[in-house]
Amino acid sequence: MAASSRRRAQAARQQESIGSLAQRAKGAPRPLPLKLRGFDLIAELKLRSPAAGGLAGETFDPGQQLDAYVAGGAAAVSVLTEPDEFKGSLAHLQSAAARLRPASCPVMRKDFLVDPYQVLEARANGASGVLLIVAMLADAELDELFAAAREQELFVLLEAFDSHDLDRLARMDLGTAGAPVLIGVNSRNLKTLAVDFERFSGLADQIRDDVPAVAESGIDAVADIEAVARLGYRLALVGSALMRNAEVTDTVASFVAAGRRVAAEAAACS
């Protein structure tokens, strides 16, 4: 996926210079703030995943899905832009950002980003945040992409898969000003694509406590939300469970309510 992403970035540079792209990014609307309220949900728009296959049927309406996310109280929407395995595109990102801006709901570009050019693409197409996969990037690459995102005033979700990733993040200077920085733990095994829910508990104590923690993958029900909230996670990123759900608004609302209830109980006890 990293190699494919580099090829995409190189091809895009041939179509538009980084100078031209930077001007487009500069002219784009200012990124919307990510507002956190104790426990929050990042709802995901993705048409396909390697683990679950197709997630959107012929009658799927992305606009209705996005509206349902907002109506349910999602704090942000993650949009897949990887074209091969996930069937995403920058057009999907641009469309989602335009639709959700009146509702003040920020959109995050989720992809296998390897080049600062792709951060500029995100900003130029309306994103307010980006995902960076720690395991896929060398330290210098991660620092460069993170700096590019901060320069563009984007919030950043730093995604970890294991202790080594979290050790690397513990050494990073994340700063204190600007858009939020989040650290996510993904429970999916990169090699087998299987979900290991116990990873959330196994790594919770290793996540640095100066940024909100995000639970990613394998969250399908209110009980899962309650479990990660009790562990100290303050956001959950949920995709497949919402894409295959007939009652999207109610499900989002129930996830948010459950997480906030548990988070409030934990705060009262402390």
Side-chain angles (χ1 to χ4, degrees):
M1 298 304 295
S4 174
S5 183
R6 289 189 181 91
R7 289 193 293 270
R8 282 190 284 131
Q10 290 170 359
R13 283 175 180 272
Q14 293 178 354
Q15 295 296 318
E16 181 177 21
S17 70
I18 192 168
S20 173
L21 179 61
Q23 285 296 346
R24 280 207 299 122
K26 185 177 181 179
R30 189 169 186 177
L32 292 170
L34 175 64
K35 299 177 181 179
L36 304 179
R37 300 178 175 86
F39 187 94
D40 291 283
L41 190 77
I42 301 175
E44 191 154 86
L45 183 72
K46 61 178 176 181
L47 305 185
R48 184 187 184 280
S49 80
L55 296 170
E58 293 182 2
T59 61
F60 176 74
D61 185 331
Q64 289 183 1
Q65 188 81 2
L66 293 168
D67 292 345
Y69 288 165
V70 172
V77 171
S78 167
V79 178
L80 266 296
T81 59
E82 195 282 327
D84 299 321
E85 295 293 338
F86 292 89
K87 305 304 179 187
S89 71
L90 285 169
H92 295 163
L93 177 69
Q94 186 179 56
S95 177
R99 189 177 187 99
L100 297 184
R101 176 163 283 274
S104 298
C105 181
V107 172
M108 178 182 79
R109 181 184 186 182
K110 187 175 181 182
D111 205 323
F112 299 82
L113 304 185
V114 294
D115 189 319
Y117 186 96
Q118 295 167 310
V119 175
L120 287 173
E121 284 182 328
R123 173 67 189 272
N125 284 279
S128 296
V130 291
L131 174 93
L132 300 180
I133 302 173
V134 177
M136 204 175 67
L137 301 166
D139 287 346
E141 293 173 320
L142 181 60
D143 289 343
E144 185 179 28
L145 287 168
F146 182 76
R150 303 304 276 170
E151 183 177 354
Q152 295 302 317
E153 301 180 282
L154 304 177
F155 75 83
V156 181
L157 172 52
L158 297 163
E159 182 176 83
F161 284 86
D162 56 27
S163 294
H164 178 63
D165 290 345
L166 292 173
D167 282 341
R168 293 174 61 198
L169 291 178
R171 295 191 291 268
M172 280 186 69
D173 179 7
L174 302 182
T176 57
V181 179
L182 314 172
I183 290 181
V185 169
N186 195 320
S187 69
R188 192 174 299 282
N189 185 303
L190 282 176
K191 294 182 179 180
T192 67
L193 300 184
V195 167
D196 178 9
F197 201 86
E198 296 303 313
R199 188 179 295 174
F200 293 132
S201 59
L203 296 177
D205 290 342
Q206 196 180 338
I207 303 171
R208 53 191 291 172
D209 58 11
D210 59 336
V211 294
V214 187
E216 305 177 55
S217 296
I219 297 174
D220 298 318
V222 164
D224 299 329
I225 293 287
E226 292 172 340
V228 296
R230 288 191 188 98
L231 290 168
Y233 293 87
R234 288 298 168 254
L235 299 96
L237 191 155
V238 183
S240 298
L242 297 177
M243 290 295 298
R244 296 183 292 199
N245 197 304
E247 303 294 337
V248 180
T249 296
D250 290 345
T251 301
V252 170
S254 67
F255 283 6
V256 173
R260 289 182 181 170
R261 182 180 65 253
V262 173
E265 291 171 356
C269 290
S270 62

